[in-house]
Amino acid sequence: MAQTSLDLLRRGADHIVPEGELETKLREAEVARKQLRVKLGADPSRPDLHIGHAVVLRKLRQFQDLGHRVILIIGDFTATIGDPSGRFKTRPTLSLEATRRNGTTYVDQATLILDSDPEKLEVRHNSEWLGPLDFGDLIRLASTYTVARLLERDDFTKRYQEGTSISVHELLYPLAQAYDSVAVRADIEIGGTDQLFNLLVGRDVQRAYGLEPQLALVLPLLEGLDGVEKMSKSLDNYIGIAEAPETMFKKAMQVPDPLLLRYAELCTTLDLGEFRRGAAEDIVAAHRRFARELVRTYHGPGPVAGAEARYDQVARGGIPDDLPEVVVPGGSLEAGSVGVLALATLAGLTSSNGEARRLIQNRGLRLDGEVVEDWRLRVDLGEARVLQRGKDRFVRVRR
């Protein structure tokens, strides 16, 4: 059965508020031959994006491909406040300069997914309208919502009940995000499940300013490779959208089996019925199919075969050809050799000789494919050698 535009946009959605209105908005836009204005706000507190962030970006791209206009709001002003969503203590504040630097990187990476055609993408910074608000404007905005309703959100409720401080500026955050929707006249706002409260506040505040309230399209948060926490660079359970094809393929193969279908649904356009049947027959083959599709999505078809071949080579215990190379300075050598502890640290595989020694004691370091048994070993650099940490961290060292 052919997939309709509505089916495409509903794929992966956790829920839509109000339910049923998406079809109405799409139909009315088609009849009026107008673009829907689809908003995503992003506070650039971190500069790097992973495929968890890409879940909402991919949904925006689907709207673009259907002819609608995406409003990507870089929250350079709201990031200085700090989104309290899912937080049980006050976030540290960032400077406006830092948020703008991160914002530039964010847009560069987001446009790996989004269509950058100016007719389909509008990039705005919310400092444009939040910065000029005077105290009277702030009072008017604050009057559109009650403290009781703000305290209904789970994280505020928990903090209030436990006696953990809630700063007034945190209570203002949902209103500031909602004012973004007023400023850009959003028809639809997209966000993760942690943003549901903020998206609904946006509907109420738009209504208070005499606008038609936006539809909220809520997408799930993608679990990380550990299968427990949500994907996060700080937890090292992520797949970065700008990572090398070989790294992306390897990490895609590490997705926990129970989450593979979820990853396929949220991160690719694979046919889910067919993929589900294939996974039931051969889960390893399904992993490979997902990994190929993920690499193809972000790097094109060219690197897919090479990334898979490298994965297979390493899995068989081989040493890949395309390795980073480190030149050991002459001052570190003694009669053309260097201690293996110093060599591992100079190569960037360990942060100190102490860490290198512990790594060797745990049989985690290899030299030219052989496990290093003795931390007192001296390595002759008469020719290039290959150091390996774990299964897939290789460095070629030479003098």
Side-chain angles (χ1 to χ4, degrees), residues 166-181:
I166 304 171
S167 297
V168 173
H169 77 281
E170 295 180 275
L171 295 176
L172 291 175
Y173 184 95
L175 298 177
Q177 180 173 327
Y179 194 76
D180 292 348
S181 295

Side-chain angles (χ1 to χ4, degrees), residues 71-126:
I71 318 298
L72 179 60
I73 297 178
I74 302 300
D76 57 340
F77 194 95
T78 44
T80 65
I81 303 174
D83 185 0
S85 301
R87 304 286 290 196
F88 298 107
K89 62 180 180 178
T90 302
R91 284 182 183 269
T93 58
L94 296 172
S95 69
L96 195 59
E97 293 73 20
T99 63
R100 285 176 176 168
R101 282 195 305 272
N102 290 348
T104 299
T105 306
Y106 187 103
V107 173
D108 290 343
Q109 293 179 77
T111 49
L112 294 174
I113 298 171
L114 298 177
D115 187 338
S116 58
D117 181 347
E119 293 298 315
K120 294 184 177 180
L121 177 63
E122 183 179 325
V123 179
R124 306 288 295 276
H125 294 74
N126 62 13

Side-chain angles (χ1 to χ4, degrees), residues 1 7 33 63 71 98 108 118 142 150 167 209 215 221 225 241 249 282 314 317 336 340 348 375 396 399:
M1 183 174 65
D7 292 334
R33 295 186 178 181
F63 275 101
I71 318 298
D108 290 343
L150 287 171
S167 297
Y209 278 81
L215 177 143
L221 301 178
L225 297 176
I241 68 171
F249 191 96
D282 188 338
V314 173
V340 70
W375 59 267
R396 182 174 285 110
R399 63 179 182 179

Side-chain angles (χ1 to χ4, degrees), residues 263-278:
Y263 270 67
E265 178 182 23
L266 297 176
C267 305
T268 75
T269 57
L270 290 167
D271 181 284
L272 294 182
E274 182 184 344
F275 188 81
R276 183 184 290 106
R277 291 189 293 272

